[in-house]
């Protein structure tokens, strides 16, 4: 019992320690563009492999880090309150953008999955990829996806968004704080929002926080409906072909 508690505490603490060490190294010039989560993930994988530690054993303690995602997401409400006037002044454009973002994220994933002849279970698992992890996993469970695959898709989407979203927007000469915040939050959820916070773009963070929250709610509503519609259309097409 005691050894079990000790091992859980050890792996929990180790996860934090590795992340903060990697965060320090990511400030150095050669690694400056690399998000700490990628480097820390690679280090943890290498350590588990080198010491022959089973992932389930490591995750018995490390899984508690995941529980902090909820409070971390709620903490993003602070810049939201500080910039609420901006939200009220642009509410029509913002809310239309939320709906458009949620719809496009789901439809584009389904179309690409179908184009590459991907299994339906994988397509379904990928649908909530632009939603923050705790919510995306629950959506995946509800619609019949694979939660582990969904979590991986969410993390990859967040990393790519955090790294390249601002560069892509800059390429198209988009420099409006509302447009940047909405795009990053809707597409790259908490990780994209965190990248804005690191640059101290608090107005963008406020919009991005609202975006990731509303898009998560809309995705939870739209995904089951669109999946049912997709399956119904697929059934009709199969009947017509036969």
């Amino acid at each position: 019992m005691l050894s079990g508690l000790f091992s859980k505490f050890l792996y929990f603490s180790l996860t934090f320690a590795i992340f903060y060490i990697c965060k320090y190294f990511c400030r150095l010039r050669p690694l400056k563009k690399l998000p700490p989560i990628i480097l820390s993930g690679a280090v943890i994988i290498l350590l588990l492999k080198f010491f022959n530690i089973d992932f389930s054993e490591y995750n018995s303690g490390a899984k508690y880090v995941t529980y902090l995602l909820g409070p971390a997401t709620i903490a993003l409400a602070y810049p939201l309150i500080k910039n609420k006037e901006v939200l009220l002044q642009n509410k029509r454009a913002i809310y239309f953008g939320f709906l458009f973002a949620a719809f496009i994220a789901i439809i584009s994933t389904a179309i690409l999955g179908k184009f590459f002849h991907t299994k339906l279970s994988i397509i379904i698992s990928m649908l909530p990829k632009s939603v923050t992890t705790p919510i995306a996993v629950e959506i995946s469970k509800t619609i019949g996806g694979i939660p582990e695959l969904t979590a991986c898709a969410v993390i990859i989407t967040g990393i790519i968004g955090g790294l390249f979203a601002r560069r892509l927007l800059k390429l198209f000469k988009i420099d409006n704080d509302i447009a940047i915040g909405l795009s990053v939050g809707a597409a790259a959820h908490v990780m994209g929002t965190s990248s804005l916070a690191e640059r101290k773009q608090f107005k963008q963070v406020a919009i991005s926080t609202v975006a990731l929250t509303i898009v998560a709610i809309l995705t939870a509503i739209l995904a089951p409906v669109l999946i049912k519609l997709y399956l119904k259309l697929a059934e009709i097409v199969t009947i017509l072909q036969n």
Side-chain angles (χ1 to χ4, degrees):
M1 179 69 177
L2 190 61
S3 60
L5 287 173
F6 176 76
S7 65
K8 287 180 180 181
F9 178 76
L10 176 65
Y11 293 131
F12 179 80
S13 304
L14 184 66
T15 305
F16 273 99
I18 290 171
F19 177 79
Y20 279 101
I21 291 169
C22 291
K23 190 176 181 180
Y24 170 78
F25 280 106
C26 285
R27 291 173 183 168
L28 304 177
R29 186 173 292 277
L31 301 172
K32 203 165 186 180
K33 299 295 183 182
L34 188 69
I37 193 170
I38 295 179
L39 183 59
S40 56
V43 170
I44 289 170
I45 291 170
L46 288 172
L47 285 174
L48 295 182
K49 192 73 176 176
F50 182 79
F51 289 104
N52 199 26
I53 301 171
D54 190 76
F55 175 76
S56 59
E57 182 186 346
Y58 163 75
N59 198 43
S60 65
K63 67 181 180 182
Y64 295 108
V65 178
T66 309
Y67 298 156
L68 299 176
L69 283 172
T73 305
I74 294 169
L76 291 169
Y78 176 72
L80 171 63
I81 294 171
K82 295 282 286 185
N83 295 275
K84 62 181 179 181
E85 291 80 10
V86 179
L87 300 173
L88 293 172
Q89 290 169 5
N90 301 275
K91 58 184 179 182
R92 289 186 180 179
I94 290 172
Y95 290 132
F96 176 77
F98 293 158
L99 183 61
F100 181 78
F103 186 78
I104 289 298
I106 295 171
I107 294 299
S108 61
T109 302
I111 291 172
L112 285 170
K114 188 68 176 175
F115 179 79
F116 288 105
H117 305 287
T118 309
K119 290 182 180 180
L120 182 60
S121 60
I122 296 177
I123 294 175
I124 290 173
S125 302
M126 298 286 282
L127 291 182
K129 63 179 173 48
S130 295
V131 177
T132 188
T133 307
I135 302 173
V137 168
E138 292 304 317
I139 293 173
S140 181
K141 290 177 182 177
T142 303
I143 61 180
I146 305 166
E148 293 81 5
L149 181 58
T150 301
C152 290
V154 169
I155 292 169
I156 292 169
T157 301
I159 290 170
I160 293 172
L163 281 173
F164 302 110
R166 283 184 58 83
R167 295 180 187 179
L168 187 62
L169 292 168
K170 189 176 180 180
L171 181 67
F172 288 98
K173 298 181 179 179
I174 297 172
D175 56 5
N176 181 275
D177 287 332
I178 294 172
I180 292 172
L182 197 156
S183 303
V184 173
H189 49 84
V190 173
M191 294 180 69
T193 306
S194 298
S195 70
L196 299 178
E198 287 174 5
R199 295 181 175 89
K200 301 189 184 302
Q201 300 291 336
F202 296 118
K203 189 179 288 187
Q204 295 175 13
V205 171
I207 305 296
S208 187
T209 302
V210 181
L212 70 90
T213 305
I214 301 297
V215 167
I217 294 169
L218 289 173
T219 302
I221 296 169
L222 289 173
V225 174
L226 292 174
I227 287 171
K228 286 181 181 178
L229 182 62
Y230 174 83
L231 293 174
K232 195 69 178 176
L233 287 172
E235 186 181 336
I236 292 170
V237 169
T238 304
I239 292 170
L240 290 174
Q241 286 177 343
N242 294 333

PDB file of all heavy atoms in Angstrom, residues 203-239:
ATOM      1  N   LYS A 203      -5.620  40.331 -24.787  1.00  0.00           N
ATOM      2  CA  LYS A 203      -6.887  40.525 -25.508  1.00  0.00           C
ATOM      3  C   LYS A 203      -7.173  39.307 -26.387  1.00  0.00           C
ATOM      4  O   LYS A 203      -8.299  38.823 -26.457  1.00  0.00           O
ATOM      5  CB  LYS A 203      -6.821  41.796 -26.351  1.00  0.00           C
ATOM      6  CG  LYS A 203      -8.167  42.190 -26.956  1.00  0.00           C
ATOM      7  CD  LYS A 203      -8.070  43.475 -27.764  1.00  0.00           C
ATOM      8  CE  LYS A 203      -7.906  44.679 -26.865  1.00  0.00           C
ATOM      9  NZ  LYS A 203      -7.971  45.952 -27.619  1.00  0.00           N
ATOM     10  N   GLN A 204      -6.137  38.806 -27.037  1.00  0.00           N
ATOM     11  CA  GLN A 204      -6.280  37.601 -27.856  1.00  0.00           C
ATOM     12  C   GLN A 204      -6.609  36.392 -26.987  1.00  0.00           C
ATOM     13  O   GLN A 204      -7.412  35.535 -27.367  1.00  0.00           O
ATOM     14  CB  GLN A 204      -4.987  37.351 -28.637  1.00  0.00           C
ATOM     15  CG  GLN A 204      -4.659  38.430 -29.655  1.00  0.00           C
ATOM     16  CD  GLN A 204      -3.303  38.212 -30.315  1.00  0.00           C
ATOM     17  OE1 GLN A 204      -2.704  37.158 -30.198  1.00  0.00           O
ATOM     18  NE2 GLN A 204      -2.821  39.225 -31.022  1.00  0.00           N
ATOM     19  N   VAL A 205      -5.992  36.323 -25.813  1.00  0.00           N
ATOM     20  CA  VAL A 205      -6.250  35.222 -24.881  1.00  0.00           C
ATOM     21  C   VAL A 205      -7.712  35.212 -24.447  1.00  0.00           C
ATOM     22  O   VAL A 205      -8.341  34.153 -24.346  1.00  0.00           O
ATOM     23  CB  VAL A 205      -5.324  35.324 -23.643  1.00  0.00           C
ATOM     24  CG1 VAL A 205      -5.728  34.307 -22.573  1.00  0.00           C
ATOM     25  CG2 VAL A 205      -3.879  35.096 -24.037  1.00  0.00           C
ATOM     26  N   ALA A 206      -8.273  36.398 -24.197  1.00  0.00           N
ATOM     27  CA  ALA A 206      -9.675  36.496 -23.778  1.00  0.00           C
ATOM     28  C   ALA A 206     -10.605  35.934 -24.841  1.00  0.00           C
ATOM     29  O   ALA A 206     -11.500  35.128 -24.548  1.00  0.00           O
ATOM     30  CB  ALA A 206     -10.023  37.955 -23.486  1.00  0.00           C
ATOM     31  N   ILE A 207     -10.397  36.342 -26.091  1.00  0.00           N
ATOM     32  CA  ILE A 207     -11.222  35.844 -27.201  1.00  0.00           C
ATOM     33  C   ILE A 207     -10.996  34.350 -27.394  1.00  0.00           C
ATOM     34  O   ILE A 207     -11.932  33.570 -27.605  1.00  0.00           O
ATOM     35  CB  ILE A 207     -10.893  36.587 -28.512  1.00  0.00           C
ATOM     36  CG1 ILE A 207     -11.040  38.103 -28.342  1.00  0.00           C
ATOM     37  CG2 ILE A 207     -11.792  36.088 -29.645  1.00  0.00           C
ATOM     38  CD1 ILE A 207     -12.427  38.579 -28.039  1.00  0.00           C
ATOM     39  N   SER A 208      -9.735  33.937 -27.314  1.00  0.00           N
ATOM     40  CA  SER A 208      -9.389  32.526 -27.505  1.00  0.00           C
ATOM     41  C   SER A 208     -10.025  31.638 -26.443  1.00  0.00           C
ATOM     42  O   SER A 208     -10.465  30.520 -26.735  1.00  0.00           O
ATOM     43  CB  SER A 208      -7.861  32.380 -27.483  1.00  0.00           C
ATOM     44  OG  SER A 208      -7.479  31.079 -27.828  1.00  0.00           O
ATOM     45  N   THR A 209     -10.092  32.144 -25.208  1.00  0.00           N
ATOM     46  CA  THR A 209     -10.709  31.389 -24.110  1.00  0.00           C
ATOM     47  C   THR A 209     -12.194  31.158 -24.366  1.00  0.00           C
ATOM     48  O   THR A 209     -12.714  30.050 -24.172  1.00  0.00           O
ATOM     49  CB  THR A 209     -10.535  32.149 -22.776  1.00  0.00           C
ATOM     50  OG1 THR A 209      -9.154  32.363 -22.536  1.00  0.00           O
ATOM     51  CG2 THR A 209     -11.124  31.349 -21.623  1.00  0.00           C
ATOM     52  N   VAL A 210     -12.873  32.203 -24.808  1.00  0.00           N
ATOM     53  CA  VAL A 210     -14.297  32.066 -25.142  1.00  0.00           C
ATOM     54  C   VAL A 210     -14.460  31.093 -26.304  1.00  0.00           C
ATOM     55  O   VAL A 210     -15.349  30.240 -26.311  1.00  0.00           O
ATOM     56  CB  VAL A 210     -14.913  33.430 -25.511  1.00  0.00           C
ATOM     57  CG1 VAL A 210     -16.391  33.278 -25.839  1.00  0.00           C
ATOM     58  CG2 VAL A 210     -14.750  34.416 -24.379  1.00  0.00           C
ATOM     59  N   ALA A 211     -13.573  31.216 -27.292  1.00  0.00           N
ATOM     60  CA  ALA A 211     -13.656  30.359 -28.477  1.00  0.00           C
ATOM     61  C   ALA A 211     -13.538  28.890 -28.123  1.00  0.00           C
ATOM     62  O   ALA A 211     -14.344  28.060 -28.552  1.00  0.00           O
ATOM     63  CB  ALA A 211     -12.573  30.755 -29.481  1.00  0.00           C
ATOM     64  N   LEU A 212     -12.521  28.539 -27.317  1.00  0.00           N
ATOM     65  CA  LEU A 212     -12.317  27.119 -27.001  1.00  0.00           C
ATOM     66  C   LEU A 212     -13.465  26.557 -26.173  1.00  0.00           C
ATOM     67  O   LEU A 212     -13.797  25.375 -26.276  1.00  0.00           O
ATOM     68  CB  LEU A 212     -10.967  26.908 -26.308  1.00  0.00           C
ATOM     69  CG  LEU A 212     -10.748  27.401 -24.884  1.00  0.00           C
ATOM     70  CD1 LEU A 212     -11.123  26.334 -23.862  1.00  0.00           C
ATOM     71  CD2 LEU A 212      -9.282  27.783 -24.675  1.00  0.00           C
ATOM     72  N   THR A 213     -14.099  27.422 -25.369  1.00  0.00           N
ATOM     73  CA  THR A 213     -15.220  26.976 -24.538  1.00  0.00           C
ATOM     74  C   THR A 213     -16.483  26.774 -25.370  1.00  0.00           C
ATOM     75  O   THR A 213     -17.124  25.721 -25.307  1.00  0.00           O
ATOM     76  CB  THR A 213     -15.512  28.004 -23.424  1.00  0.00           C
ATOM     77  OG1 THR A 213     -14.322  28.229 -22.674  1.00  0.00           O
ATOM     78  CG2 THR A 213     -16.600  27.497 -22.495  1.00  0.00           C
ATOM     79  N   ILE A 214     -16.823  27.785 -26.167  1.00  0.00           N
ATOM     80  CA  ILE A 214     -18.054  27.717 -26.972  1.00  0.00           C
ATOM     81  C   ILE A 214     -17.938  26.657 -28.057  1.00  0.00           C
ATOM     82  O   ILE A 214     -18.891  25.902 -28.318  1.00  0.00           O
ATOM     83  CB  ILE A 214     -18.373  29.092 -27.611  1.00  0.00           C
ATOM     84  CG1 ILE A 214     -18.552  30.159 -26.526  1.00  0.00           C
ATOM     85  CG2 ILE A 214     -19.621  28.999 -28.478  1.00  0.00           C
ATOM     86  CD1 ILE A 214     -19.702  29.916 -25.579  1.00  0.00           C
ATOM     87  N   VAL A 215     -16.766  26.566 -28.695  1.00  0.00           N
ATOM     88  CA  VAL A 215     -16.572  25.554 -29.747  1.00  0.00           C
ATOM     89  C   VAL A 215     -16.684  24.147 -29.164  1.00  0.00           C
ATOM     90  O   VAL A 215     -17.215  23.239 -29.812  1.00  0.00           O
ATOM     91  CB  VAL A 215     -15.215  25.759 -30.458  1.00  0.00           C
ATOM     92  CG1 VAL A 215     -14.854  24.560 -31.323  1.00  0.00           C
ATOM     93  CG2 VAL A 215     -15.256  27.016 -31.312  1.00  0.00           C
ATOM     94  N   ALA A 216     -16.214  23.958 -27.935  1.00  0.00           N
ATOM     95  CA  ALA A 216     -16.351  22.656 -27.271  1.00  0.00           C
ATOM     96  C   ALA A 216     -17.822  22.296 -27.075  1.00  0.00           C
ATOM     97  O   ALA A 216     -18.236  21.161 -27.335  1.00  0.00           O
ATOM     98  CB  ALA A 216     -15.632  22.682 -25.925  1.00  0.00           C
ATOM     99  N   ILE A 217     -18.616  23.270 -26.645  1.00  0.00           N
ATOM    100  CA  ILE A 217     -20.057  23.040 -26.439  1.00  0.00           C
ATOM    101  C   ILE A 217     -20.740  22.751 -27.768  1.00  0.00           C
ATOM    102  O   ILE A 217     -21.535  21.801 -27.881  1.00  0.00           O
ATOM    103  CB  ILE A 217     -20.702  24.271 -25.760  1.00  0.00           C
ATOM    104  CG1 ILE A 217     -20.140  24.446 -24.343  1.00  0.00           C
ATOM    105  CG2 ILE A 217     -22.219  24.127 -25.707  1.00  0.00           C
ATOM    106  CD1 ILE A 217     -20.517  25.756 -23.691  1.00  0.00           C
ATOM    107  N   LEU A 218     -20.425  23.549 -28.787  1.00  0.00           N
ATOM    108  CA  LEU A 218     -21.042  23.360 -30.110  1.00  0.00           C
ATOM    109  C   LEU A 218     -20.645  22.020 -30.723  1.00  0.00           C
ATOM    110  O   LEU A 218     -21.468  21.353 -31.355  1.00  0.00           O
ATOM    111  CB  LEU A 218     -20.632  24.506 -31.043  1.00  0.00           C
ATOM    112  CG  LEU A 218     -21.236  25.874 -30.732  1.00  0.00           C
ATOM    113  CD1 LEU A 218     -20.609  26.953 -31.630  1.00  0.00           C
ATOM    114  CD2 LEU A 218     -22.752  25.859 -30.932  1.00  0.00           C
ATOM    115  N   THR A 219     -19.399  21.619 -30.518  1.00  0.00           N
ATOM    116  CA  THR A 219     -18.939  20.327 -31.044  1.00  0.00           C
ATOM    117  C   THR A 219     -19.680  19.172 -30.373  1.00  0.00           C
ATOM    118  O   THR A 219     -20.059  18.199 -31.029  1.00  0.00           O
ATOM    119  CB  THR A 219     -17.420  20.162 -30.832  1.00  0.00           C
ATOM    120  OG1 THR A 219     -16.727  21.238 -31.465  1.00  0.00           O
ATOM    121  CG2 THR A 219     -16.930  18.841 -31.416  1.00  0.00           C
ATOM    122  N   ALA A 220     -19.895  19.297 -29.064  1.00  0.00           N
ATOM    123  CA  ALA A 220     -20.637  18.267 -28.331  1.00  0.00           C
ATOM    124  C   ALA A 220     -22.069  18.147 -28.842  1.00  0.00           C
ATOM    125  O   ALA A 220     -22.660  17.062 -28.824  1.00  0.00           O
ATOM    126  CB  ALA A 220     -20.645  18.601 -26.838  1.00  0.00           C
ATOM    127  N   ILE A 221     -22.627  19.260 -29.313  1.00  0.00           N
ATOM    128  CA  ILE A 221     -23.999  19.258 -29.840  1.00  0.00           C
ATOM    129  C   ILE A 221     -24.034  18.795 -31.290  1.00  0.00           C
ATOM    130  O   ILE A 221     -24.863  17.959 -31.681  1.00  0.00           O
ATOM    131  CB  ILE A 221     -24.629  20.669 -29.726  1.00  0.00           C
ATOM    132  CG1 ILE A 221     -24.760  21.076 -28.250  1.00  0.00           C
ATOM    133  CG2 ILE A 221     -25.994  20.720 -30.417  1.00  0.00           C
ATOM    134  CD1 ILE A 221     -25.120  22.526 -28.043  1.00  0.00           C
ATOM    135  N   LEU A 222     -23.120  19.326 -32.105  1.00  0.00           N
ATOM    136  CA  LEU A 222     -23.146  19.078 -33.551  1.00  0.00           C
ATOM    137  C   LEU A 222     -22.643  17.690 -33.937  1.00  0.00           C
ATOM    138  O   LEU A 222     -23.184  17.065 -34.854  1.00  0.00           O
ATOM    139  CB  LEU A 222     -22.305  20.138 -34.279  1.00  0.00           C
ATOM    140  CG  LEU A 222     -22.860  21.553 -34.333  1.00  0.00           C
ATOM    141  CD1 LEU A 222     -21.814  22.501 -34.927  1.00  0.00           C
ATOM    142  CD2 LEU A 222     -24.138  21.596 -35.165  1.00  0.00           C
ATOM    143  N   ALA A 223     -21.593  17.202 -33.245  1.00  0.00           N
ATOM    144  CA  ALA A 223     -20.955  15.939 -33.655  1.00  0.00           C
ATOM    145  C   ALA A 223     -21.937  14.762 -33.714  1.00  0.00           C
ATOM    146  O   ALA A 223     -21.999  14.069 -34.740  1.00  0.00           O
ATOM    147  CB  ALA A 223     -19.775  15.624 -32.735  1.00  0.00           C
ATOM    148  N   PRO A 224     -22.731  14.494 -32.666  1.00  0.00           N
ATOM    149  CA  PRO A 224     -23.667  13.361 -32.744  1.00  0.00           C
ATOM    150  C   PRO A 224     -24.697  13.517 -33.865  1.00  0.00           C
ATOM    151  O   PRO A 224     -25.040  12.543 -34.541  1.00  0.00           O
ATOM    152  CB  PRO A 224     -24.367  13.375 -31.372  1.00  0.00           C
ATOM    153  CG  PRO A 224     -23.438  14.121 -30.477  1.00  0.00           C
ATOM    154  CD  PRO A 224     -22.793  15.146 -31.349  1.00  0.00           C
ATOM    155  N   VAL A 225     -25.173  14.743 -34.067  1.00  0.00           N
ATOM    156  CA  VAL A 225     -26.180  14.999 -35.110  1.00  0.00           C
ATOM    157  C   VAL A 225     -25.589  14.760 -36.491  1.00  0.00           C
ATOM    158  O   VAL A 225     -26.204  14.087 -37.341  1.00  0.00           O
ATOM    159  CB  VAL A 225     -26.708  16.457 -35.009  1.00  0.00           C
ATOM    160  CG1 VAL A 225     -27.648  16.766 -36.172  1.00  0.00           C
ATOM    161  CG2 VAL A 225     -27.409  16.684 -33.682  1.00  0.00           C
ATOM    162  N   LEU A 226     -24.394  15.288 -36.737  1.00  0.00           N
ATOM    163  CA  LEU A 226     -23.758  15.144 -38.049  1.00  0.00           C
ATOM    164  C   LEU A 226     -23.349  13.701 -38.331  1.00  0.00           C
ATOM    165  O   LEU A 226     -23.383  13.251 -39.475  1.00  0.00           O
ATOM    166  CB  LEU A 226     -22.546  16.069 -38.139  1.00  0.00           C
ATOM    167  CG  LEU A 226     -22.870  17.573 -38.154  1.00  0.00           C
ATOM    168  CD1 LEU A 226     -21.590  18.398 -38.109  1.00  0.00           C
ATOM    169  CD2 LEU A 226     -23.687  17.938 -39.383  1.00  0.00           C
ATOM    170  N   ILE A 227     -22.969  12.964 -37.286  1.00  0.00           N
ATOM    171  CA  ILE A 227     -22.614  11.549 -37.462  1.00  0.00           C
ATOM    172  C   ILE A 227     -23.843  10.741 -37.881  1.00  0.00           C
ATOM    173  O   ILE A 227     -23.786   9.901 -38.785  1.00  0.00           O
ATOM    174  CB  ILE A 227     -21.991  10.974 -36.175  1.00  0.00           C
ATOM    175  CG1 ILE A 227     -20.579  11.513 -35.997  1.00  0.00           C
ATOM    176  CG2 ILE A 227     -21.950   9.453 -36.218  1.00  0.00           C
ATOM    177  CD1 ILE A 227     -19.963  11.181 -34.673  1.00  0.00           C
ATOM    178  N   LYS A 228     -24.962  10.996 -37.208  1.00  0.00           N
ATOM    179  CA  LYS A 228     -26.220  10.304 -37.568  1.00  0.00           C
ATOM    180  C   LYS A 228     -26.612  10.616 -39.010  1.00  0.00           C
ATOM    181  O   LYS A 228     -27.034   9.741 -39.764  1.00  0.00           O
ATOM    182  CB  LYS A 228     -27.333  10.717 -36.606  1.00  0.00           C
ATOM    183  CG  LYS A 228     -27.201  10.097 -35.221  1.00  0.00           C
ATOM    184  CD  LYS A 228     -28.352  10.531 -34.320  1.00  0.00           C
ATOM    185  CE  LYS A 228     -28.204   9.934 -32.920  1.00  0.00           C
ATOM    186  NZ  LYS A 228     -29.285  10.366 -32.014  1.00  0.00           N
ATOM    187  N   LEU A 229     -26.452  11.883 -39.392  1.00  0.00           N
ATOM    188  CA  LEU A 229     -26.769  12.299 -40.764  1.00  0.00           C
ATOM    189  C   LEU A 229     -25.833  11.624 -41.758  1.00  0.00           C
ATOM    190  O   LEU A 229     -26.268  11.148 -42.813  1.00  0.00           O
ATOM    191  CB  LEU A 229     -26.653  13.824 -40.869  1.00  0.00           C
ATOM    192  CG  LEU A 229     -26.998  14.445 -42.231  1.00  0.00           C
ATOM    193  CD1 LEU A 229     -28.456  14.169 -42.598  1.00  0.00           C
ATOM    194  CD2 LEU A 229     -26.744  15.949 -42.210  1.00  0.00           C
ATOM    195  N   TYR A 230     -24.561  11.557 -41.400  1.00  0.00           N
ATOM    196  CA  TYR A 230     -23.555  10.925 -42.259  1.00  0.00           C
ATOM    197  C   TYR A 230     -23.860   9.443 -42.465  1.00  0.00           C
ATOM    198  O   TYR A 230     -23.803   8.930 -43.592  1.00  0.00           O
ATOM    199  CB  TYR A 230     -22.171  11.110 -41.624  1.00  0.00           C
ATOM    200  CG  TYR A 230     -21.053  10.383 -42.336  1.00  0.00           C
ATOM    201  CD1 TYR A 230     -20.435  10.936 -43.449  1.00  0.00           C
ATOM    202  CD2 TYR A 230     -20.615   9.125 -41.887  1.00  0.00           C
ATOM    203  CE1 TYR A 230     -19.406  10.266 -44.091  1.00  0.00           C
ATOM    204  CE2 TYR A 230     -19.590   8.455 -42.527  1.00  0.00           C
ATOM    205  CZ  TYR A 230     -18.984   9.035 -43.625  1.00  0.00           C
ATOM    206  OH  TYR A 230     -17.975   8.362 -44.265  1.00  0.00           O
ATOM    207  N   LEU A 231     -24.196   8.749 -41.382  1.00  0.00           N
ATOM    208  CA  LEU A 231     -24.507   7.316 -41.468  1.00  0.00           C
ATOM    209  C   LEU A 231     -25.770   7.072 -42.280  1.00  0.00           C
ATOM    210  O   LEU A 231     -25.860   6.093 -43.031  1.00  0.00           O
ATOM    211  CB  LEU A 231     -24.665   6.740 -40.057  1.00  0.00           C
ATOM    212  CG  LEU A 231     -23.389   6.693 -39.199  1.00  0.00           C
ATOM    213  CD1 LEU A 231     -23.714   6.239 -37.791  1.00  0.00           C
ATOM    214  CD2 LEU A 231     -22.351   5.776 -39.827  1.00  0.00           C
ATOM    215  N   LYS A 232     -26.737   7.964 -42.141  1.00  0.00           N
ATOM    216  CA  LYS A 232     -27.989   7.834 -42.886  1.00  0.00           C
ATOM    217  C   LYS A 232     -27.745   8.015 -44.376  1.00  0.00           C
ATOM    218  O   LYS A 232     -28.261   7.248 -45.211  1.00  0.00           O
ATOM    219  CB  LYS A 232     -28.996   8.883 -42.388  1.00  0.00           C
ATOM    220  CG  LYS A 232     -30.430   8.624 -42.822  1.00  0.00           C
ATOM    221  CD  LYS A 232     -31.008   7.403 -42.132  1.00  0.00           C
ATOM    222  CE  LYS A 232     -32.458   7.171 -42.522  1.00  0.00           C
ATOM    223  NZ  LYS A 232     -32.989   5.926 -41.918  1.00  0.00           N
ATOM    224  N   LEU A 233     -26.931   9.023 -44.736  1.00  0.00           N
ATOM    225  CA  LEU A 233     -26.613   9.266 -46.142  1.00  0.00           C
ATOM    226  C   LEU A 233     -25.819   8.107 -46.720  1.00  0.00           C
ATOM    227  O   LEU A 233     -26.038   7.703 -47.872  1.00  0.00           O
ATOM    228  CB  LEU A 233     -25.819  10.572 -46.260  1.00  0.00           C
ATOM    229  CG  LEU A 233     -26.583  11.874 -46.051  1.00  0.00           C
ATOM    230  CD1 LEU A 233     -25.643  13.055 -46.008  1.00  0.00           C
ATOM    231  CD2 LEU A 233     -27.645  12.069 -47.126  1.00  0.00           C
ATOM    232  N   ALA A 234     -24.877   7.559 -45.923  1.00  0.00           N
ATOM    233  CA  ALA A 234     -24.074   6.421 -46.377  1.00  0.00           C
ATOM    234  C   ALA A 234     -24.946   5.207 -46.640  1.00  0.00           C
ATOM    235  O   ALA A 234     -24.750   4.457 -47.603  1.00  0.00           O
ATOM    236  CB  ALA A 234     -23.004   6.093 -45.337  1.00  0.00           C
ATOM    237  N   GLU A 235     -25.958   5.028 -45.779  1.00  0.00           N
ATOM    238  CA  GLU A 235     -26.899   3.910 -45.953  1.00  0.00           C
ATOM    239  C   GLU A 235     -27.721   4.071 -47.226  1.00  0.00           C
ATOM    240  O   GLU A 235     -27.930   3.114 -47.973  1.00  0.00           O
ATOM    241  CB  GLU A 235     -27.827   3.853 -44.726  1.00  0.00           C
ATOM    242  CG  GLU A 235     -28.758   2.655 -44.702  1.00  0.00           C
ATOM    243  CD  GLU A 235     -29.682   2.654 -43.486  1.00  0.00           C
ATOM    244  OE1 GLU A 235     -29.316   3.276 -42.468  1.00  0.00           O
ATOM    245  OE2 GLU A 235     -30.741   2.044 -43.585  1.00  0.00           O
ATOM    246  N   ILE A 236     -28.160   5.297 -47.481  1.00  0.00           N
ATOM    247  CA  ILE A 236     -28.949   5.583 -48.694  1.00  0.00           C
ATOM    248  C   ILE A 236     -28.112   5.339 -49.944  1.00  0.00           C
ATOM    249  O   ILE A 236     -28.582   4.744 -50.919  1.00  0.00           O
ATOM    250  CB  ILE A 236     -29.482   7.040 -48.660  1.00  0.00           C
ATOM    251  CG1 ILE A 236     -30.530   7.183 -47.537  1.00  0.00           C
ATOM    252  CG2 ILE A 236     -30.091   7.425 -50.005  1.00  0.00           C
ATOM    253  CD1 ILE A 236     -30.923   8.622 -47.268  1.00  0.00           C
ATOM    254  N   VAL A 237     -26.849   5.820 -49.907  1.00  0.00           N
ATOM    255  CA  VAL A 237     -25.961   5.632 -51.055  1.00  0.00           C
ATOM    256  C   VAL A 237     -25.723   4.143 -51.321  1.00  0.00           C
ATOM    257  O   VAL A 237     -25.717   3.690 -52.481  1.00  0.00           O
ATOM    258  CB  VAL A 237     -24.603   6.357 -50.801  1.00  0.00           C
ATOM    259  CG1 VAL A 237     -23.580   5.961 -51.855  1.00  0.00           C
ATOM    260  CG2 VAL A 237     -24.793   7.859 -50.801  1.00  0.00           C
ATOM    261  N   THR A 238     -25.539   3.358 -50.265  1.00  0.00           N
ATOM    262  CA  THR A 238     -25.319   1.906 -50.406  1.00  0.00           C
ATOM    263  C   THR A 238     -26.540   1.233 -51.025  1.00  0.00           C
ATOM    264  O   THR A 238     -26.395   0.370 -51.905  1.00  0.00           O
ATOM    265  CB  THR A 238     -25.034   1.289 -49.011  1.00  0.00           C
ATOM    266  OG1 THR A 238     -23.929   1.938 -48.410  1.00  0.00           O
ATOM    267  CG2 THR A 238     -24.740  -0.198 -49.149  1.00  0.00           C
ATOM    268  N   ILE A 239     -27.733   1.639 -50.590  1.00  0.00           N
ATOM    269  CA  ILE A 239     -28.963   1.074 -51.139  1.00  0.00           C
ATOM    270  C   ILE A 239     -29.116   1.398 -52.619  1.00  0.00           C
ATOM    271  O   ILE A 239     -29.463   0.551 -53.445  1.00  0.00           O
ATOM    272  CB  ILE A 239     -30.197   1.594 -50.351  1.00  0.00           C
ATOM    273  CG1 ILE A 239     -30.183   1.033 -48.915  1.00  0.00           C
ATOM    274  CG2 ILE A 239     -31.496   1.198 -51.046  1.00  0.00           C
ATOM    275  CD1 ILE A 239     -31.198   1.658 -48.007  1.00  0.00           C
TER     276      ILE A 239
END
